[in-house]
Amino acid sequence: MLFEKITLIDENFDVKENMFVATEKDKIAYISQLPPQKDYGQKICGKNKLLTNGWFNCHTHLPMTLLRGYAENLKLQDWLNTKVFPFEAKMNEEDVYYAALLGIAEMFRFGTVSATEMYFHPLSILEAAKKAGIKLNLCTGTTEFGDGGLKDNKNFNEELDLHERCSKMGNDKIKADFSLHSEYITTEKIVKELGEYLKGKNERVHVHVSETKKETDECIARHGLTPTAYLEKCGIMNAKVNAAHSVWLTDEDLSIYKANGVTAVHNPMSNLKLGSGFARIEKMLEMGINVALGTDGVASNNNFNLFEDLRFAAIMHNPLNENYSVINPKTLVKMGTLNGAYSQDRCDCGCIKEGNKADFAIYDLNEVSMKPCHNLLNSFVYSMPGGAVLMTVVDGEIVYGNGKFTTIDIDDVIRKTEQSRKRILSEI
Ligand SMILES: [Zn+2]
């Protein structure tokens, strides 16, 4: 594929106009102001179009699409205990498969190419991701309520199985991570055993950290430590950690993040919706902590349009901060792309550069919300509607284009998820 005379956001997150961008197999093969000598096949006119790296959504629960709009106007603990957990208890493997496909379709619709996913029935999600062609880092969200050890833990064993399956797939499009759901629904025994297991291994752990004040206060009451300090004490920092939410962090917690290369995954919409609080994003960025973006599940968002999170991240911290310039458009686009790729160990992804994986989205610059345009990067972050995505490409494959999903039978998926929704409600 060759895009001719297209505007792009380059590897330094600067805007360049009238560029030629070609893909070959799964890679970006050519970027220049001059047309290539070589024939790259199909030619696409780039006039009034913007090409940017696709989004990396780094904290998701894909199958929660089934709960979209089901539980509103509740605080997190009530939301979880009275609505989410009873509904999820009725979700079977088939429900999870189709709900995950629906979520992936929504991601493609809004230019997302990769997700860091945590949910149960992981094999159903693995199959959905393989069918759809999304990049995915997958884990189960390990929980432990009893006094069992790690080797008998169902989630841990599922993750070992995922590691084996992913390593046999012959590419790194889908990767297995390890996980802890959180401090509050695991035991110290199991967290320590996981820390010990991870020693000397080059693994990633996905975990909810200090999402709410209540969670943080209760952890301090239980262990005498913040969730971050507790995870460090238990050896979890032996792994590379993706810490979802990271809202109630102390200065010491931030130092632990910095010292251990923890990625803080900012979930602005979810944090506002559930009243969780304001993560210290400016401070993290000033300290050089890697900050990525996530939507969380759509029950707490309520969609997979990462643009909205980008925009909320851009403005929600202003009332608390003197300096409005730290979270600027360039930084935000980087948070939604390159920082996310880093947090998934995808070193050839996350920005538009020759040799990188061809993961990008094409936007319509004729959108009325983009007119007039003083500064394209500003307008991209503050004005571009997610619906302006014309095409989403993962590893050189068009997964969404001309209003159609090429890998997902969306009518069937909508039909199946509606059947699941009705059945589950009838069983609760
Ligand atoms: Zn979550």
Side-chain angles (χ1 to χ4, degrees), residues 59-61 64 118 181 206 208 211 244-245 267 270 296-297 300:
H59 180 62
T60 68
H61 310 291
M64 288 185 91
M118 173 194 283
H181 178 277
H206 188 179
H208 293 93
E211 179 173 359
H245 299 291
N267 296 265
S270 172
D296 208 357
S300 57

Side-chain angles (χ1 to χ4, degrees), residues 188-356:
E188 186 164 351
K189 178 183 167 73
I190 210 156
V191 179
K192 278 186 168 161
E193 286 184 18
L194 182 62
E196 189 58 34
Y197 173 81
L198 293 167
K199 211 182 256 179
K201 296 189 174 72
N202 192 30
E203 292 286 350
R204 284 215 165 256
V205 172
H206 188 179
V207 52
H208 293 93
V209 181
S210 287
E211 179 173 359
T212 62
K213 185 167 188 308
K214 183 172 183 286
E215 169 199 334
T216 308
D217 289 346
E218 287 179 359
C219 180
I220 293 168
R222 263 192 293 273
H223 304 288
L225 295 168
T226 63
T228 300
Y230 165 80
L231 292 172
E232 186 193 39
K233 187 194 93 173
C234 294
I236 296 304
M237 303 300 168
N238 288 330
K240 294 173 278 188
V241 176
N242 287 352
H245 299 291
S246 298
V247 176
W248 294 89
L249 299 188
T250 63
D251 287 348
E252 293 75 41
D253 293 339
L254 290 174
S255 299
I256 293 171
Y257 272 43
K258 173 73 180 164
N260 292 282
V262 174
T263 292
V265 185
H266 186 29
N267 296 265
M269 299 267 305
S270 172
N271 294 161
L272 283 176
K273 179 174 177 184
L274 297 173
S276 304
F278 297 85
R280 299 170 67 191
I281 300 304
E282 293 84 352
K283 180 82 179 159
M284 294 180 195
L285 291 169
E286 280 165 0
M287 288 176 68
I289 291 167
N290 190 50
V291 182
L293 283 174
T295 53
D296 208 357
V298 299
S300 57
N301 189 295
N302 291 4
N303 61 52
F304 283 133
N305 176 2
L306 201 76
F307 257 112
E308 293 187 359
D309 290 270
L310 205 74
R311 208 158 290 148
F312 269 69
I315 59 175
M316 72 183 268
H317 302 284
N318 287 350
L320 301 174
N321 287 297
E322 293 278 308
N323 183 355
Y324 288 14
S325 65
V326 177
I327 306 181
N328 55 59
K330 210 179 240 197
T331 301
L332 284 158
V333 175
K334 189 163 168 262
M335 281 163 61
T337 54
L338 192 63
N339 295 6
Y342 172 84
S343 79
Q344 295 183 343
D345 291 321
R346 299 183 190 275
C347 57
D348 56 353
C349 297
C351 64
I352 299 300
K353 115 177 157 182
E354 281 181 11
N356 263 12

Side-chain angles (χ1 to χ4, degrees), residues 50-69:
L50 173 68
L51 184 153
T52 73
N53 205 92
W55 301 122
F56 281 67
N57 185 343
C58 293
H59 180 62
T60 68
H61 310 291
L62 280 164
M64 288 185 91
T65 46
L66 274 188
L67 288 96
R68 197 195 316 262

